Amino acid sequence: VARLDVGDTLDAEHLAGADVAVDFTVPSVTEANVHALLDAGVDVVVGTTGWTEESYGRIREHLARPEAAGRSVLIAPNFALSAVLAMSFAAKAAPYFESAEVIELHHPNKVDAPSGTAVATAQGIARSEERFSATQTDPDGARGAVVDGVHVHAVRLRGLTAHEEVVLGNPGEQLTIRTDSFDRASFMPGVVLAVRQVSSHPGLTIGLDALLDL
């Protein structure tokens, strides 16, 4: 019923009677957008990454206000069903492997690194146990970022869309879990699912897996 862009006002009038707003913007503005949309009286589905525990906390505080009673916000690092399943599979497999690393590959226009999907994947893996590494010197960051003890490597290359590989290793064996989105159309089934179900999950929901019974 409405499409808003940079410079447009986020209020009930400009939302034109929408029940749910979908935010695909950039990390620098997404939190402010969610607060404005809640003030406008709509539920919110967010596909923008860059969120922190602190920013999640501020959304929870907003949702606890009397004027936001019954409102819902769903923030998902990835809406591609293959990516959601890959994250779930990696978290389930991680306790059985000694080593685990995450490699994420995206187009060079992506503004954040590592991706929100990679961060969420690493956090899911890290819940199992601390990973061992004998590396003592890495002045140039060749081992990549470290998210909750898990190394995450980011590639930005023209021709890519959104890809992730989780590599888990034991003595004598390796498990690779990979997801590839070749077109943004891959995100749409997940977005539609979120739009249809977000209002049935009051408060803040993080991750599409909460809607998929995973």
Side-chain angles (χ1 to χ4, degrees):
V1 296
R3 183 170 65 181
L4 305 180
D5 209 330
V6 177
D8 293 331
T9 303
L10 291 180
D11 59 17
E13 178 185 354
H14 291 85
L15 290 171
D19 297 307
V20 179
V22 179
D23 176 280
F24 278 109
T25 56
V26 293
S28 60
V29 298
T30 185
E31 183 187 343
N33 288 347
V34 173
H35 289 296
L37 291 165
L38 288 173
D39 288 337
V42 300
D43 295 325
V44 190
V45 171
V46 183
T48 308
T49 57
W51 289 80
T52 64
E53 288 303 319
E54 291 74 20
S55 54
Y56 288 144
R58 289 188 290 269
I59 298 301
R60 289 189 179 98
E61 290 173 3
H62 193 151
L63 287 164
R65 299 175 193 170
E67 61 270 24
R71 292 268 73 89
S72 306
V73 175
L74 184 144
I75 302 172
N78 202 310
F79 284 95
L81 299 181
S82 63
V84 176
L85 290 167
M87 286 188 280
S88 178
F89 296 158
K92 287 179 171 62
Y96 303 99
F97 286 85
E98 177 185 306
S99 301
E101 303 215 0
V102 179
I103 306 155
E104 58 98 340
L105 309 93
H106 285 80
H107 56 87
N109 294 332
K110 185 170 177 57
V111 297
D112 59 331
S115 69
T117 301
V119 170
T121 303
Q123 290 170 337
I125 291 171
R127 293 190 187 102
S128 57
E129 60 184 74
E130 185 176 349
R131 300 292 159 187
F132 171 77
S133 172
T135 303
Q136 296 182 6
T137 59
D138 183 13
D140 298 318
R143 292 294 314 280
V146 179
V147 179
D148 289 357
V150 178
H151 287 269
V152 179
H153 310 267
V155 175
R156 296 292 176 266
L157 192 67
R158 186 64 65 194
L160 297 175
T161 301
H163 316 260
E164 181 178 271
E165 189 170 289
V166 184
V167 184
L168 304 107
N170 273 338
E173 67 172 340
Q174 178 176 300
L175 171 65
T176 300
I177 301 169
R178 182 174 174 115
T179 171
D180 296 281
S181 286
F182 303 107
D183 190 282
R184 291 183 178 182
S186 65
F187 307 138
M188 291 305 102
V191 173
V192 171
L193 174 67
V195 167
R196 288 175 173 167
Q197 294 197 17
V198 63
S199 300
S200 300
H201 297 265
L204 175 62
T205 299
I206 300 172
L208 195 64
D209 53 315
L211 309 185
L212 293 174
D213 260 350
L214 294 177

